[in-house]
Amino acid sequence: MAFTFAAFCYMLALLLTAALIFFAIWHIIAFDELKTDYKNPIDQCNTLNPTVEKLVLPEYLIHVFFCVMFLCAAEWLTLGLNMPLLAYHVWRYTSRPVMSGPGLYDPTTIMNADVLAYCQKEGWCKLAFYLLSFFYYLYGYVISTISTGMLSLPPLLLPSIRVCYLYLLSFCLYGYESNN
Amino acid sequence: MSNTDFSSQNGAGGPPYANGPSQNPVALQPPGPGYMAHQTPYNPMQAKGPMPPGPGLYNSGPYQPIPPVSSNQALPGQPMLKRPPMGPQHSMTPPQSASPNPGSRIPPAHATPPPVSANNYQHAPAWQYGGTPPMGAPPSMGAPPPMAMPPLRPVGNHMTSSPSLATPQASSAEYRATPPVFHNAMQPLGPPTSLQGYTQQGHMPTPGNGAQVPNSFDHLEMGPKMAGPLPPQQPGPPTRHMGLSYPSLPPGYQNTSAPPNAATMQHPVQPSTQPYSHPPPYQQLSAGPAQLSPSLSGLSLQSQTPEALRVVNLLQERNLLPLGPVTPPTPCLPQDLQKINCHPEVFRSTLTSIPQTQSLLNKAKLPLGLLLHPFKDLSQLPVVTSSTIVRCRSCRTYINPFVTFLDQRRWKCNLCYRVNDVPEEFMYNPVSRSYGEPHKRPEVQNATLEFIAPSEYMLRPPQPAVYLIVLDVSHNAVETGYLDVVCQSLLENINALPGDSRTKIGFITFDSTIHFYNLQEGLSQPQMLIVSDIEDIFLPTPDSLLVNLNECKELVQDLLRSLPQMFGKTMETQCALGPALQAAFKLLSATGGRVSVFQTQLPSLGVGALKSREDPNQRASAKDIQHLSPATDFYKKLALDCSGQQVAVDLFLLSSQYCDLASLGCISRYSAGSVYYYPSYHQQHNPAGVECFQKDLKRYLTRKIGFEAVMRIRCSKGLSIHTFHGNFFVRSTDLLSLPNVNPDAGFAVQMSIEENLVDMQSVSFQAALLYTSSKGERRIRVHTMCLPVVNSLSDIFAGADVQAITCLLASMAVDRSVTASLSDARDAMTNASIDSLTSFRTSVLTIQQPGLLAPACLRLFPLYILALLKQKAFRTGTSTRLDDRVFAMCQLKYQPLAYVMLMIHPALYRVDDLTDEGALNVSERTIPQPRVQQLSVEKLSRDGAFLMDAGSVIYLWIGRNCNPNFLTQVLGLPNYAAVPLNMNMLPELDTAESQRTRAFVGWLREQRPFFPILHVIRDESPLKASFLQNMIEDRTESALSYYEFLLHIQQQVSK
């Protein structure tokens, strides 16, 4: 009966992904506001909604953090699934416009339709990815706890958990589409 | 819809397009040799004579029968308020229309378009010069008066006027043939429209019919005195006379119908006499011109080939340049709407016919966008003072000429289609002092006008005019001697600075420290305050640094007189621009205003210090140009702060070395300032640069200025703004924040079509600029443009405005080269021309023939693209200084279209044989109008003198064997060898030749707000290279010649 390091990683990732989902939603809302904000007051703040800017680095750091955790726990499959997003984050941050402070968005180009559309799309894609990974981590967490210690579980439990998650997954996908 | 019927008629009847292979034998020859040997038999220029000059001609006759107008949106059955004709109206068939064919090579199909298309396709009146009563664009407005015929002109126009004059008998048959086309086409669509009215008008003048003559001849822009059976000679210069080919046309029109076209020709003939036996319906028809839906115009566009769609084989026809300036196409709108439409110099669209859907736009592969010059100096601008400004309640559009009045009390917005109430106050017309005619208010009669805004449009009391001059006084700066010029110029113009009694002024100088000047009233002399803590800048005496100009004028003048000497002995080489700008921002942040920064070297101290990034050895060889984007975001952030506090920063860069304009320019770019750049400025070594700087400075100090401005661009539902180009900060999807706005700033907007515009016949765009004038008034300048919506590719091509497209592409390419790379941007531009020509070839052309085919309206497109590729901003292979390149990029984005076009494609004139023939008369001066030559060395001859107008610089090239007469009479020099290597002035000699040349150069200079310097060049001159670099049709070591470029495009197109 051991609560393994892998299980701990999954649990942590689960919680952090919940936060990331929140970030992604915030991101989407902020850009949507920016796009549809026709009644912009004259003395509106020059820069883009600063909270979004401030969330960029924490989001990237959180993601890097649990990627490192998975690396330490030798969860290769999970790490592999996260690699594309990690690479994307690195690319995105290195190709950001010239800036003295941290940040990603250039207030002078953010209103270009291309950039705005890209940012919105990015937000939706990330939201989908985080939602999927949320359930994956939950699944991984259960699996790792079961496989290591809780042998007393009835043999049918494992498949039933799988089915359960498939159902949840499809539900979540459906919800995402109807949102759109 | 009968639309389809009509096109199917075409399909069955034969090729609708003019240049069938059978008619164009030349086109079948292998292109190569003919091109190089040059002088293909076809020279359109000879045929396309210019319009005889004179302002009256374009004004055209009073065309009375134009009935009152309602708007497109009105249902036929609904009661409508009629908009009465206002002022003289345009006839739609001015005789200056292009006749692309000299008699020798008339493909019959060229003659085929029956007059219908002409009438329909109301491009004809060269709208922009002289003939625009509502806009009030008098000839002096800067654009040359009707010199050359506009090249993009339906052939049909030509037909309407000329045959009826020259051979009335012959042509009348054709006329008969035509109206039924229309008639048939119209019937299913509801009440016939005014088109017939026009057609009839065009037809009426029969020689000898005295009663009808005045009107109709006016209509033909001949003037009443020409009444009678005249040859089509016009009171213009005989040599440039396009009428020469008239007599040859009717026969061609009648007899030579080529077999493929026969069916199309004959089809309409059957019900021929109908219209003439029933005149009354036509009278009635003319009742509602506004009911003419653009889609109807589209109908006949499909049936005949308008001039804009005439197929040109670019590999064959070399002489593509029009004689004079390239004129923008006229939107295919009902004439009364077009007449009041916004002036193309102010508001221009790349496509004058808006595609119905985004997919159609994508198919055309042409960019959709607007080019604006919103604060242009206008000589006549209606100003409306009223306590309530009538705007749409939902989209806040200002009421404009394109709205619909449902009845006296309600109007329908033309952007969002909401029905609004007409306020009580609007019922009274202050101009005519009548009540109950809201549609006659100036707001509804002018597409460009200005409102004096009431207090709702102010967030704070209007700011005073505030000017802050920030001067670099380091050793390098003093060395160039620019301080003298600036101070002198300020002294001279201190009373001409725009402003009122509240105007404030202040000065800051900087080297390694920041110097402030206390100019407070009561001091005996200006007091200099030095702040050496550049890390944490502060204002020593915040209240007395900015002073009221009127109260402290003596002190200011004292300071300006002593300033140049104060730093004469300075040994300080460092320069802290960043802290100086921070100080300027702090000083102005309470009020807003304008900062003019004069900088001569790379900032080296404090925040915003920059390092040299350019490696001069890499200029020519580098594969891709680096460092086009800023090195630091300090200037951008500061500019955004400035923008928030309504401070604009204008940058004058006078430098001999690399200054990193890419980084420094951000300070102006995002604060809506302007950038001036004088490379290698030096008082002694570069007198031409000094003169240029002086002139520019004078204009800069005295030009109009608007403070704390915002500009919003609204467009009809379904369209949306994609990207803005220019100097500003984008605050919302359609709102630009412009701390200052000046009359020399241009803007470009890329548009996209978000929803299909299926039910709309026209769309409108409205730019509203809210600003505080230098007199402390809050004003709103509103421009509205209306454009038709079309649903076929050929209509889109027919309405393409090649200059606007080029300028928009240039702006997009600048963005691309900064975000991606220069080579990417170059490829994108080349692809733009390839794609659009491919699309034209595959989707519009029905007959495939060899060669590189382009519609006549886009015939200059590849040339302009090549010119862009060879422009300083985008060229590769030649040594271009990074700052020069970045400055050229700034200008491409910031200058209004007319000036950008000269920068891209300079105009070359031969000036050793100037004559008064065809000359313009502007305010008692005679200005000769030589024709524009192609930019090829082949055109230069050793025994001539050529003037190249490249926008910001003018070159006068003297051939080695130049006519000695020219040398003595114009240059005042005995022989060629006596031409000095750097000559920048034309001596004022009292000879006719000298006067003509000077008048011409002076006239060219007057047309732009900056001062182009004149360089007289001979073979040994150092500037010869830059002169020759502008010869864009020639091959250079690293770039293709025009012909090679065309071959490249052809290869790609026919893939």
Side-chain angles (χ1 to χ4, degrees):
Chain A
M1 184 75 194
F3 189 67
T4 57
F5 182 62
F8 172 72
C9 283
Y10 277 116
M11 194 190 70
L12 201 65
L14 202 61
L15 295 175
L16 290 175
T17 309
L20 290 183
I21 290 171
F22 164 76
F23 284 6
I25 292 173
W26 194 293
H27 184 272
I28 291 167
I29 291 174
F31 279 97
D32 205 51
E33 254 175 12
L34 203 63
K35 190 176 184 180
T36 50
D37 189 11
Y38 286 97
K39 294 175 218 108
N40 212 334
I42 292 248
D43 52 358
Q44 189 227 8
C45 175
N46 265 330
T47 47
L48 171 72
N49 192 347
T51 43
V52 173
E53 195 80 329
K54 282 185 194 136
L55 289 180
V56 170
L57 265 188
E59 178 192 335
Y60 288 9
L61 291 179
I62 288 172
H63 190 248
V64 169
F65 170 69
F66 63 70
C67 281
V68 172
M69 298 284 282
F70 284 127
L71 181 72
C72 298
E75 289 289 323
W76 305 118
L77 177 67
T78 316
L79 190 64
L81 288 176
N82 272 300
M83 278 321 279
L85 186 64
L86 193 67
Y88 173 76
H89 280 166
V90 170
W91 171 80
R92 186 95 162 96
Y93 207 75
T94 48
S95 64
R96 70 183 189 138
V98 180
M99 266 185 210
S100 43
L104 197 54
Y105 303 107
D106 177 1
T108 56
T109 54
I110 195 71
M111 293 310 292
N112 288 5
D114 284 337
V115 181
L116 206 55
Y118 178 84
C119 290
Q120 279 186 306
K121 210 177 284 171
E122 185 192 16
W124 282 111
C125 291
K126 274 190 184 170
L127 180 63
F129 181 85
Y130 290 145
L131 274 174
L132 286 176
S133 48
F134 179 82
F135 291 107
Y136 174 77
Y137 298 147
L138 196 53
Y139 176 78
Y141 171 62
V142 171
I143 294 299
S144 59
T145 30
I146 290 168
S147 58
T148 50
M150 304 164 93
L151 292 171
S152 55
L153 277 178
L156 265 181
L157 189 63
L158 207 59
S160 67
I161 288 177
R162 279 189 185 141
V163 168
C164 211
Y165 276 103
L166 274 179
Y167 172 75
L168 267 176
L169 260 180
S170 62
F171 176 78
C172 133
L173 273 180
Y174 171 77
Y176 166 76
E177 267 159 29
S178 65
N179 246 349
N180 246 351
Chain B
M1 263 217 30
S2 64
N3 198 341
T4 47
D5 298 342
F6 210 51
S7 41
S8 69
Q9 277 177 10
N10 267 330
Y17 298 103
N19 269 346
S22 57
Q23 300 142 15
N24 192 359
V26 189
L28 295 173
Q29 290 169 0
Y35 190 87
M36 275 328 206
H38 195 46
Q39 300 311 345
T40 44
Y42 175 39
N43 179 0
M45 290 311 167
Q46 288 163 4
K48 296 176 182 178
M51 174 60 192
L57 289 169
Y58 274 62
N59 268 329
S60 89
Y63 186 31
Q64 265 80 8
I66 289 191
V69 177
S70 60
S71 123
N72 309 6
Q73 310 298 337
L75 298 171
Q78 263 175 318
M80 275 179 273
L81 291 180
K82 310 280 187 187
R83 190 179 297 136
M86 33 173 296
Q89 308 202 10
H90 296 281
S91 86
M92 72 303 172
T93 54
Q96 79 275 16
S97 65
S99 155
N101 317 302
S104 61
R105 187 184 167 266
I106 299 175
H110 273 190
T112 32
V116 175
S117 81
N119 295 327
N120 227 334
Y121 199 70
Q122 289 151 7
H123 278 199
W127 181 76
Q128 70 272 47
Y129 307 129
T132 52
M135 259 293 298
S140 65
M141 221 175 93
M147 205 18 246
M149 37 51 71
L152 314 176
R153 180 79 25 86
V155 174
N157 275 338
H158 184 88
M159 298 309 181
T160 21
S161 53
S162 56
S164 64
L165 284 171
T167 47
Q169 292 308 318
S171 67
S172 76
E174 297 309 321
Y175 274 105
R176 274 166 208 219
T178 53
V181 174
F182 227 172
H183 200 69
N184 291 343
M186 298 286 236
Q187 268 176 355
L189 282 168
T193 66
S194 66
L195 280 192
Q196 277 86 351
Y198 287 122
T199 316
Q200 194 190 17
Q201 283 292 326
H203 176 68
M204 287 304 268
T206 37
N209 189 343
Q212 292 168 1
V213 160
N215 190 12
S216 43
F217 272 87
D218 273 358
H219 157 65
L220 290 172
E221 301 184 6
M222 302 286 260
K225 63 176 186 290
M226 302 292 288
L230 290 171
Q233 297 285 348
Q234 290 162 20
T239 48
R240 298 183 160 203
H241 194 270
M242 29 78 71
L244 290 178
S245 59
Y246 278 14
S248 67
L249 273 171
Y253 195 52
Q254 271 203 318
N255 305 330
T256 49
S257 328
N261 281 353
T264 7
M265 284 294 296
Q266 278 158 14
H267 184 81
V269 174
Q270 291 143 12
S272 65
T273 51
Q274 226 180 16
Y276 294 101
S277 49
H278 301 293
Y282 280 87
Q283 294 297 340
Q284 213 179 4
L285 298 179
S286 59
Q291 283 176 318
L292 161 71
S293 70
S295 61
L296 281 183
S297 329
L299 270 186
S300 43
L301 275 185
Q302 288 186 331
S303 65
Q304 280 89 30
T305 310
E307 165 63 13
L309 280 183
R310 180 174 60 87
V311 179
V312 178
N313 185 351
L314 296 177
L315 291 173
Q316 285 285 329
E317 296 184 24
R318 182 92 202 270
N319 268 332
L320 294 170
L321 289 175
L323 279 167
V326 179
T327 51
T330 314
C332 194
L333 283 171
Q335 193 158 21
D336 55 315
L337 284 186
Q338 179 47 36
K339 188 166 53 68
I340 47 177
N341 216 344
C342 199
H343 196 289
E345 281 183 0
V346 172
F347 215 145
R348 216 159 140 170
S349 168
T350 56
L351 302 177
T352 52
S353 305
I354 304 293
Q356 225 170 36
T357 60
Q358 179 72 35
S359 62
L360 195 61
L361 176 61
N362 293 344
K363 238 187 255 168
K365 303 275 185 198
L366 290 169
L368 175 61
L370 307 171
L371 287 119
L372 286 114
H373 189 177
F375 204 54
K376 183 179 166 59
D377 284 326
L378 300 170
S379 53
Q380 195 190 338
L381 176 71
V383 179
V384 174
T385 320
S386 90
S387 55
T388 51
I389 294 174
V390 181
R391 299 173 70 177
C392 172
R393 286 168 61 95
S394 74
C395 68
R396 307 300 290 151
T397 300
Y398 295 84
I399 195 166
N400 60 69
F402 310 105
V403 303
T404 321
F405 280 96
L406 299 178
D407 56 43
Q408 291 238 334
R409 289 286 174 180
R410 290 180 306 150
W411 61 279
K412 191 169 165 195
C413 175
N414 53 334
L415 269 70
C416 66
Y417 307 109
R418 183 195 157 101
V419 176
N420 293 276
D421 292 335
V422 177
E424 182 61 30
E425 199 182 326
F426 202 73
M427 299 295 289
Y428 176 73
N429 185 350
V431 180
S432 65
R433 301 195 173 171
S434 56
Y435 185 82
E437 288 174 330
H439 55 283
K440 284 190 183 166
R441 292 266 302 195
E443 290 93 326
V444 192
Q445 296 288 353
N446 296 290
T448 292
L449 83 167
E450 199 157 275
F451 294 100
I452 311 265
S455 53
E456 298 97 279
Y457 292 83
M458 303 169 196
L459 286 171
R460 58 174 186 178
Q463 69 161 82
V466 181
Y467 305 109
L468 180 65
I469 319 286
V470 180
L471 300 159
D472 179 4
V473 291
S474 59
H475 176 73
N476 186 46
V478 175
E479 236 281 302
T480 61
Y482 87 93
L483 275 176
D484 286 321
V485 177
V486 173
C487 292
Q488 195 55 41
S489 203
L490 268 166
L491 275 174
E492 282 164 15
N493 296 306
I494 199 148
N495 292 319
L497 281 175
D500 55 7
S501 59
R502 301 185 300 157
T503 307
K504 285 182 168 182
I505 195 162
F507 294 87
I508 292 177
T509 55
F510 64 97
D511 41 31
S512 61
T513 53
I514 315 292
H515 322 135
F516 296 90
Y517 295 87
N518 185 346
L519 298 166
Q520 200 166 33
E521 226 180 340
L523 288 175
S524 58
Q525 60 172 32
Q527 189 184 10
M528 184 160 110
L529 306 157
I530 300 178
V531 172
S532 52
D533 180 8
I534 54 170
E535 294 306 318
D536 182 20
I537 203 79
F538 64 95
L539 302 178
T541 53
D543 304 332
S544 51
L545 301 178
L546 269 184
V547 293
N548 187 301
L549 180 58
N550 292 326
E551 289 163 11
C552 306
K553 194 170 279 173
E554 266 105 63
L555 272 182
V556 169
Q557 283 167 335
D558 270 1
L559 175 65
L560 287 174
R561 279 190 212 102
S562 56
L563 202 56
Q565 282 79 50
M566 270 157 67
F567 299 95
K569 300 268 183 296
T570 186
M571 295 311 286
E572 188 56 72
T573 53
Q574 302 278 55
C575 143
L577 175 67
L581 285 172
Q582 283 179 325
F585 168 63
K586 281 198 171 155
L587 197 51
L588 286 192
S589 55
T591 50
R594 179 175 82 186
V595 181
S596 317
V597 182
F598 296 83
Q599 169 72 11
T600 59
Q601 56 173 317
L602 207 60
S604 54
L605 268 188
V607 280
L610 297 169
K611 290 196 176 60
S612 179
R613 296 190 288 170
E614 188 186 32
D615 178 3
N617 303 323
Q618 294 282 309
R619 274 181 201 150
S621 57
K623 267 265 185 303
D624 218 342
I625 311 297
Q626 303 293 311
H627 308 309
L628 289 172
S629 51
T632 163
D633 70 336
F634 167 75
Y635 294 99
K636 185 196 285 179
K637 275 162 86 178
L638 187 61
L640 294 185
D641 291 342
C642 286
S643 172
Q645 299 298 325
Q646 308 294 351
V647 177
V649 183
D650 293 331
L651 180 66
F652 288 80
L653 203 54
L654 309 117
S655 150
S656 44
Q657 289 134 28
Y658 175 69
C659 263
D660 203 350
L661 187 59
S663 306
L664 290 184
C666 289
I667 188 77
S668 297
R669 183 163 167 211
Y670 300 113
S671 67
S674 32
V675 178
Y676 294 83
Y677 176 53
Y678 303 91
S680 320
Y681 183 88
H682 196 276
Q683 192 140 38
Q684 269 96 48
H685 307 157
N686 187 0
V690 173
E691 192 193 357
C692 190
F693 178 52
Q694 270 172 336
K695 293 271 171 43
D696 283 356
L697 205 55
K698 181 168 191 299
R699 160 81 184 167
Y700 172 76
L701 292 172
T702 55
R703 72 185 177 190
K704 224 179 128 151
I705 181 168
F707 295 98
E708 43 183 1
V710 285
M711 180 163 75
R712 197 181 284 276
I713 296 172
R714 297 183 174 87
C715 41
S716 288
K717 214 165 62 181
L719 292 165
S720 73
I721 290 169
H722 189 276
T723 306
F724 290 99
H725 301 277
N727 289 0
F728 46 72
F729 172 61
V730 188
R731 203 149 59 181
S732 168
T733 35
D734 57 350
L735 184 71
L736 301 182
S737 149
L738 306 166
N740 279 4
V741 60
N742 70 68
D744 306 332
F747 301 90
V749 187
Q750 271 169 266
M751 310 286 304
S752 55
I753 302 171
E754 297 223 314
E755 294 164 37
N756 293 351
L757 310 167
V758 176
D759 302 330
M760 303 180 197
Q761 289 159 343
S762 63
V763 288
S764 301
F765 304 89
Q766 188 172 68
L769 178 74
L770 173 65
Y771 68 98
T772 302
S773 76
S774 52
K775 304 267 182 268
E777 269 176 332
R778 204 77 174 132
R779 285 169 168 246
I780 311 162
R781 189 175 289 193
V782 179
H783 307 282
T784 317
M785 178 173 64
C786 180
L787 292 176
V789 176
V790 297
N791 58 6
S792 77
L793 266 183
S794 56
D795 290 351
I796 296 172
F797 276 105
D801 182 342
V802 66
Q803 288 194 316
I805 291 173
T806 310
C807 288
L808 187 65
L809 281 176
S811 288
M812 290 159 68
V814 170
D815 275 3
R816 180 72 74 91
S817 40
V818 175
T819 54
S821 70
L822 194 72
S823 53
D824 230 31
R826 288 169 57 91
D827 290 347
M829 284 190 285
T830 316
N831 288 341
S833 61
I834 292 171
D835 289 347
S836 60
L837 292 182
T838 311
S839 161
F840 177 73
R841 190 189 177 96
T842 51
S843 315
V844 178
L845 278 186
T846 42
I847 311 163
Q848 298 298 336
Q849 39 178 305
L852 179 59
L853 307 176
C857 60
L858 286 181
R859 70 195 191 285
L860 294 174
F861 194 32
L863 179 63
Y864 285 159
I865 293 292
L866 180 69
L868 268 178
L869 294 178
K870 293 188 177 181
Q871 222 267 341
K872 239 185 223 166
F874 301 112
R875 72 186 175 199
T876 51
T878 21
S879 178
T880 310
R881 301 202 308 188
L882 192 52
D883 277 347
D884 286 358
R885 187 187 294 277
V886 173
F887 181 62
M889 288 184 171
C890 290
Q891 286 200 304
L892 285 180
K893 289 196 86 166
Y894 173 71
Q895 293 281 358
L897 180 135
Y899 318 132
V900 171
M901 273 330 288
L902 277 178
M903 282 173 48
I904 295 173
H905 187 269
L908 182 69
Y909 307 95
R910 180 167 186 160
V911 290
D912 59 320
D913 52 357
L914 287 180
T915 58
D916 282 343
E917 203 172 86
L920 274 176
N921 271 305
V922 177
S923 57
E924 311 280 307
R925 288 180 309 149
T926 310
I927 292 144
Q929 296 291 305
R931 59 166 291 183
V932 180
Q933 311 272 345
Q934 289 158 46
L935 291 170
S936 166
V937 175
E938 175 193 342
K939 291 285 168 187
L940 299 178
S941 68
R942 276 171 182 258
D943 51 358
F946 290 82
L947 189 84
M948 178 189 281
D949 176 9
S952 54
V953 59
I954 294 178
Y955 300 101
L956 178 60
W957 183 86
I958 312 290
R960 187 172 287 279
N961 305 328
C962 180
N963 187 356
N965 193 33
F966 181 81
L967 291 172
T968 52
Q969 304 291 315
V970 176
L971 299 175
L973 298 168
N975 53 44
Y976 177 77
V979 176
L981 283 182
N982 48 357
M983 180 177 179
N984 302 107
M985 288 271 287
L986 290 178
E988 295 197 14
L989 302 178
D990 200 19
T991 58
E993 289 87 348
S994 170
Q995 270 166 4
R996 275 191 208 119
T997 316
R998 279 182 293 119
F1000 183 58
V1001 174
W1003 176 74
L1004 289 177
R1005 280 177 171 163
E1006 275 164 25
Q1007 289 177 323
R1008 58 204 74 161
F1010 40 85
F1011 182 80
I1013 203 81
L1014 176 81
H1015 293 291
V1016 179
I1017 288 185
R1018 61 175 180 143
D1019 271 352
E1020 295 80 13
S1021 300
L1023 280 167
K1024 193 185 165 205
S1026 48
F1027 172 73
L1028 290 180
Q1029 267 168 357
N1030 280 329
M1031 291 296 184
I1032 51 154
E1033 295 199 17
D1034 291 332
R1035 189 191 173 137
T1036 62
E1037 301 126 41
S1038 53
L1040 298 178
S1041 74
Y1042 179 49
Y1043 187 69
E1044 288 166 329
F1045 184 66
L1046 286 180
L1047 285 180
H1048 170 69
I1049 292 186
Q1050 187 204 8
Q1051 235 173 21
Q1052 301 291 318
V1053 165
S1054 39
K1055 249 183 198 170

